[in-house]
Amino acid sequence: MGKWQTKEQLKNLLCDLVAIPSVTGSQAEIEFPKYVQRQLNTLPYFQQHPDHLELCPTEDGRESVMALVKQTEDVRKTVILVSHFDVVDVEDYGTWKESAFDVDGITNLFYEAKEDLSEELIKEMESSEWLFGRGTMDMKCGLALHMSMIEQATEGVFDGNLLLLTVPDEEVNSVGMRSAVPALLAFAKKYQLEYRAVLNSESMFTRFPGDENKYIYTGTIGKVLPGFLCYGDETHVGEPFLGLNANFMASKITCEMELNTTFCEVVGGEATPPPTNLIQKGLKKDYSVQIPHRAVTLFNLFVLEKKMDDLVHSLLKTAEKVATDIKQTYEIQAKNYVKYEPYTPQSVDVRVLTYQDLLHYAVETHGQPHVEQLEKRILEQKGSDLDERDVTIELVDELSILCKELAPMIVLFFAPPYYPAICSRNHPLIQQVTEEMIQHAKETHHISLQKINYFGGISDLSYVGLQYPIESLQPFVTNMPMWEKGYSVPLQELEQFNIPVINLGSVGKDAHQRTERLDLKYTAEILTELLPTCIHKLLEEV
């Protein structure tokens, strides 16, 4: 019967995978791929072909797992199965956090504590067989299913090759997937592979409260992290009109950007969520009666098909509007105050720059060596006390201090991570397979499977190709201070890779919440038939 083919076997594998607390950045995340490697090594195929199972190092000491099952030497067509094994932390579990990685234990706790749960959740729990625990939905279920498919491939079930790739760090910076792309290209050359498609199995995301629909995705949403460094003018709190408070500037930007639906993008009837703030803070390190004259605010901004020059243009327009609003507010309040203090300044002008503008001015004014020394000093702090966002903010802040004669100013920049939007809705193979899977699900399982162009949860499918030529990304990369200085995306390799994508996963709920859970019944009784059917279709000629 095999190791991972029955419902009980799959559940046991999932429980074993979840039991390893592979929180992003933890020691368990480093150990996890070795466990997967050991499990796959128990299959006779990999004992006979040990070179087909590799640990692929990332740039920071972590590892991905690559496992190739090749039918015969002359078979080239290959489907890549992509998953990630890192998970978010478990602080949200509160007093139950010690049980968060024990699937049976935490599931029993939920079923025994129904009186403390919402009626909606209780009703749902009674409707199917749910497994709770961190990583059950996002996304160790997907990995368990892929290992099951690999086992089937070793038994010659598929008319083509399967390549399993499971990576770390999807939840933070996607170091795993970004490092894996060059390795996938090398694997293709080494074993003469023709990649047909990348199949991800992230669990479905509900689109609205009470959503019971089932989905198949032909792409994944993109994301950028734009920031605005606000540099005002220092003064004593007793003379506020002699300066400009940067916290006030940043708050005006946040009010303008937060939930601003003009940034929503609609493609094929699907809309991106509006931007929302992720970081906002003053950069004054100690308390004093000097106003904070430097502050920063950063936003999560989803994208679908918008080009970078259009996006940068929209963000600059927003900053310019805010600069005008600040000037108007200042002038109104100054006129009101002048009756108390006749020497009150009457006006303030705020300059709007891109990071590229600021960098160019700094180099022209202070010289390239001085700027490079400043960058080197800050970049050396990465990983000790500062993450990629902190380092980016520090780079912009220090450069702004160096060029403070430009203040008051608002500087637009981008921080990591960057997730390109990917969509294969117009690719002939994906179009055909999607239509056939929808029909198959209806006829075989009486399920209405709906096609969605973009998977709404950020995923590693972002790193399998590029929508537009590399040159179109220049407005973005030139305004990301850390680009190729500790953070980058392998653009050349992505342009070369460019494989169509599809996502078919299980039913899960509440990713990144303490009620994260997986519908085991759907997974073991339906998806275990849909997934191999989808692989068969991806390997067929169009």
Side-chain angles (χ1 to χ4, degrees):
M1 180 54 71
K3 286 174 61 71
W4 307 310
Q5 301 307 312
T6 68
K7 180 179 180 179
E8 194 62 27
Q9 288 174 333
L10 272 175
K11 180 190 173 185
N12 290 339
L13 174 60
L14 176 62
C15 291
D16 291 342
L17 295 175
V18 171
I20 303 173
S22 51
V23 174
T24 315
S26 68
Q27 182 62 34
E29 186 193 23
I30 295 173
E31 296 301 322
F32 190 95
K34 298 176 178 62
Y35 175 80
V36 175
Q37 183 188 40
R38 289 195 299 272
Q39 289 299 308
L40 291 171
N41 258 328
T42 63
L43 300 177
Y45 177 89
F46 292 110
Q47 294 170 9
Q48 297 164 15
H49 302 87
D51 56 326
H52 286 198
L53 177 57
E54 292 186 8
L55 293 180
C56 174
T58 68
E59 62 193 41
D60 60 0
R62 288 176 280 189
E63 292 173 313
S64 302
V65 180
M66 296 177 66
L68 171 67
V69 179
K70 203 168 193 300
Q71 295 307 317
T72 60
E73 196 64 34
D74 59 337
V75 174
R76 295 172 58 90
K77 54 186 180 180
T78 306
V79 170
I80 303 171
L81 307 178
V82 167
S83 64
H84 70 88
F85 55 77
D86 65 314
V87 298
V88 296
D89 66 34
V90 294
E91 291 304 312
D92 52 334
Y93 282 85
T95 57
W96 288 1
K97 69 180 182 180
E98 297 301 323
S99 301
F101 298 106
D102 175 3
V103 175
D104 288 331
I106 193 75
T107 299
N108 288 336
L109 284 174
F110 272 100
Y111 276 92
E112 290 168 359
K114 286 186 178 181
E115 66 277 4
D116 299 324
L117 306 177
S118 68
E119 290 184 14
E120 181 182 348
L121 180 54
I122 293 171
K123 183 178 178 182
E124 189 176 273
M125 288 166 62
E126 292 171 348
S127 69
S128 191
E129 188 177 350
W130 293 90
L131 296 179
F132 288 77
R134 178 62 83 232
T136 50
M137 171 197 178
D138 186 15
M139 70 161 294
K140 289 179 178 176
C141 170
L143 172 57
L145 287 162
H146 289 179
M147 291 172 70
S148 174
M149 296 302 102
I150 285 291
E151 183 181 27
Q152 290 187 27
T154 66
E155 296 168 356
V157 169
F158 302 108
D159 184 23
N161 311 318
L162 286 194
L163 174 56
L164 178 146
L165 171 66
T166 189
V167 300
D169 192 50
E170 189 265 2
E171 299 291 0
V172 179
N173 286 316
S174 284
V175 168
M177 192 64 190
R178 289 187 287 119
S179 300
V181 172
L184 287 169
L185 290 171
F187 236 58
K189 185 175 181 180
K190 180 178 180 180
Y191 294 107
Q192 298 297 299
L193 306 178
E194 172 198 327
Y195 293 139
R196 299 272 292 172
V198 177
L199 171 61
N200 200 356
S201 291
E202 290 270 14
S203 294
M204 305 170 197
F205 271 53
T206 54
R207 303 184 72 195
F208 50 84
D211 183 10
E212 297 297 331
N213 293 317
K214 309 296 187 291
Y215 300 109
I216 185 169
Y217 304 88
T218 60
T220 191
I221 200 168
K223 165 188 166 155
V224 292
L225 192 61
F228 299 88
L229 191 288
C230 299
Y231 199 120
D233 194 5
E234 61 266 37
T235 185
H236 190 280
V237 293
E239 300 176 308
F241 283 104
L242 294 180
L244 181 60
N245 194 309
N247 284 349
F248 164 65
M249 299 168 70
S251 68
K252 295 283 280 186
I253 292 176
T254 297
C255 287
E256 187 64 31
M257 286 288 295
E258 184 70 18
L259 304 180
N260 187 338
T261 55
T262 62
F263 282 95
C264 293
E265 196 179 346
V266 182
V267 174
E270 298 172 26
T272 60
T276 190
N277 185 268
L278 289 180
I279 297 172
Q280 180 174 324
K281 60 182 178 179
L283 300 177
K284 180 180 170 183
K285 294 192 173 20
D286 300 304
Y287 172 81
S288 74
V289 290
Q290 181 191 63
I291 66 167
H293 62 281
R294 298 176 349 267
V296 70
T297 181
L298 284 82
F299 300 86
N300 187 90
L301 182 54
F302 289 119
V303 293
L304 299 179
E305 295 183 355
K306 186 174 288 186
K307 292 185 177 179
M308 280 300 172
D309 54 354
D310 294 331
L311 186 61
V312 169
H313 177 75
S314 297
L315 291 166
L316 284 174
K317 283 293 183 186
T318 299
E320 288 165 2
K321 180 181 183 301
V322 168
T324 301
D325 290 347
I326 290 170
K327 178 181 175 68
Q328 291 174 348
T329 300
Y330 185 97
E331 290 175 354
I332 291 170
Q333 298 303 330
K335 286 177 182 178
N336 290 337
Y337 189 69
V338 75
K339 58 189 174 188
Y340 309 118
E341 176 53 67
Y343 301 107
T344 301
Q346 297 296 300
S347 185
V348 65
D349 290 303
V350 179
R351 199 186 308 257
V352 174
L353 305 168
T354 63
Y355 175 76
Q356 185 181 21
D357 295 332
L358 181 65
L359 180 62
H360 178 75
Y361 178 87
V363 170
E364 288 290 309
T365 307
H366 300 279
Q368 188 74 34
H370 185 85
V371 172
E372 287 179 354
Q373 188 61 33
L374 179 150
E375 290 178 339
K376 182 175 183 291
R377 172 174 55 82
I378 296 168
L379 290 167
E380 285 174 350
Q381 301 176 59
K382 178 178 175 289
S384 53
D385 301 318
L386 307 177
D387 70 6
E388 286 82 356
R389 271 65 53 194
D390 297 322
V391 172
T392 299
I393 293 168
E394 194 81 6
L395 284 166
V396 186
D397 186 36
E398 289 286 346
L399 210 59
S400 298
I401 294 171
L402 188 65
C403 306
K404 61 183 177 181
E405 63 271 18
L406 297 176
M409 60 180 161
I410 298 171
V411 182
L412 169 66
F413 64 93
F414 291 95
Y418 166 50
Y419 288 85
I422 292 293
C423 190
S424 301
R425 62 194 174 107
N426 296 320
H427 192 282
L429 175 63
I430 302 303
Q431 280 184 328
Q432 177 176 308
V433 170
T434 302
E435 291 170 4
E436 291 179 357
M437 287 305 300
I438 290 171
Q439 188 66 25
H440 175 81
K442 183 178 181 180
E443 293 175 353
T444 308
H445 301 286
H446 309 293
I447 289 174
S448 178
L449 201 59
Q450 298 183 24
K451 178 180 80 72
I452 298 293
N453 295 321
Y454 293 91
F455 177 69
I458 295 163
S459 84
D460 280 331
L461 287 183
S462 282
Y463 303 106
V464 300
L466 291 177
Q467 272 186 322
Y468 301 112
I470 292 175
E471 311 84 69
S472 69
L473 292 173
Q474 280 303 108
F476 172 74
V477 300
T478 56
N479 288 303
M480 179 179 273
M482 283 196 68
W483 189 262
E484 295 186 342
K485 296 172 184 173
Y487 180 87
S488 63
V489 174
L491 299 179
Q492 300 285 347
E493 288 86 351
L494 290 187
E495 197 167 57
Q496 182 182 349
F497 196 56
N498 198 31
I499 309 300
V501 303
I502 195 166
N503 191 109
L504 181 61
S506 192
V507 172
K509 296 286 182 71
D510 295 351
H512 298 193
Q513 299 178 47
R514 80 183 191 107
T515 48
E516 177 182 352
R517 58 199 182 277
L518 175 79
D519 186 340
L520 180 62
K521 184 178 176 66
Y522 181 89
T523 302
E525 298 177 14
I526 296 176
L527 190 55
T528 49
E529 192 279 331
L530 292 180
L531 207 54
T533 301
C534 184
I535 294 170
H536 280 297
K537 293 181 182 298
L538 290 170
L539 290 167
E540 292 173 359
E541 297 301 324
V542 178

